Amino acid sequence: MSSLPTPTARRLTKPSWKDTRLLIGVLLVLLSVVIGAPAFRAADDRVGVWAANAPLTPGESIDESDLKRVDVQLGDGSATYLRSDRELPEGAVVDRELRAGELLPSSAVVSPLELDVQRVPVRVDPVSLSNLTKGSRVTVLAPAAPAPSAERRRSDERPTYEVVARRVTVYALPKSSGGVMGTGSGSAAILVVPKDLVAELLSLDDKDRPIKLVIEAGSPEKKD
């Protein structure tokens, strides 16, 4: 019986730059880089815009220390917000309340001369301040005007309250003392109100008949 032929071993050789398969592989890698780079750039079209560092109230002046840069990807919608690579207008104020972290719309930054609101200190029932914080939106209630002396109710009856204004923003609250905010005769809170309500609110500032503030649904509240 004749023996089977022994196969000859082939030596491995290093690939050469002249190897067609190697050249094709290199070209494919280069092609993927050339095509992929613009695609990645197009996908990451984020822009830097300003956001509030802390709650801001209408009429409050702002500078860069009150803001933080946030990179967002909103497409054409990013033009709605104030870009962080642009300088803030000198003496800029905001004309609406903004929560901490909320993006700053370009339309919210105005000159103080354009504001239609003012800050008013008003004596408030301390009980109604317990869950309020700067930026809270409240409904302002005031005791109804007392009836003429001949028709006055008994002194032990509680007064009725009337709505004076809605969606009023709290700018500042009285500082607490010994865990109690203010006294029984009322504590001064600063509210941001339309200019046409200023005179009316000031006329209600009565230490014996403090107004009440009722927080509105969805408004920022004091955290425990």
Side-chain angles (χ1 to χ4, degrees):
M1 175 179 256
S2 60
S3 60
L4 296 175
T6 303
T8 304
R10 297 178 61 184
R11 292 185 179 181
L12 296 175
T13 58
K14 293 182 180 180
S16 169
W17 286 107
K18 296 181 180 180
D19 189 330
T20 305
R21 290 173 298 177
L22 180 59
L23 290 174
I24 292 174
V26 171
L27 288 175
L28 289 174
V29 171
L30 292 175
L31 187 62
S32 65
V33 171
V34 171
I35 295 176
F40 278 115
R41 286 196 295 270
D44 187 16
D45 59 351
R46 292 176 296 177
V47 296
V49 299
W50 288 123
N53 253 335
L56 297 173
T57 58
E60 192 164 355
S61 59
I62 55 170
D63 57 34
E64 291 189 8
S65 64
D66 302 306
L67 308 171
K68 62 181 177 181
R69 175 188 167 123
V70 177
D71 292 326
V72 296
Q73 188 176 20
L74 300 175
D76 294 338
S78 60
T80 306
Y81 301 98
L82 197 64
R83 294 274 296 265
S84 59
D85 57 358
R86 297 175 185 171
E87 291 187 4
L88 291 170
E90 187 175 353
V93 299
V94 291
D95 68 352
R96 67 198 70 176
E97 65 266 14
L98 294 170
R99 301 187 185 188
E102 187 174 350
L103 301 183
L104 180 63
S106 301
S107 59
V109 181
V110 300
S111 162
L113 299 177
E114 299 177 61
L115 285 175
D116 193 34
V117 294
Q118 284 185 277
R119 297 175 192 160
V120 181
V122 182
R123 215 177 305 266
V124 178
D125 184 347
V127 175
S128 65
L129 300 175
S130 58
N131 60 340
L132 299 183
T133 187
K134 178 181 177 180
S136 294
R137 292 187 307 276
V138 296
T139 297
V140 180
L141 301 173
S149 56
E151 301 176 7
R152 281 183 184 169
R153 298 180 178 181
R154 298 195 314 271
S155 59
D156 60 344
E157 283 195 59
R158 293 183 179 180
T160 58
Y161 285 81
E162 299 175 341
V163 174
V164 176
R166 299 183 188 275
R167 296 188 63 80
V168 170
T169 304
V170 175
Y171 173 73
L173 296 167
K175 294 181 179 179
S176 60
S177 176
V180 180
M181 200 174 290
T183 65
S185 59
S187 307
I190 300 177
L191 307 179
V192 181
V193 300
K195 289 180 178 179
D196 57 1
L197 280 177
V198 172
E200 183 178 359
L201 274 181
L202 290 176
S203 70
L204 299 172
D205 192 10
D206 184 343
K207 67 178 182 179
D208 297 321
R209 293 159 51 83
I211 67 173
K212 290 187 177 184
L213 304 178
V214 180
I215 193 166
E216 297 185 355
S219 176
E221 295 187 51
K222 179 180 178 181
K223 295 181 179 179
D224 297 331

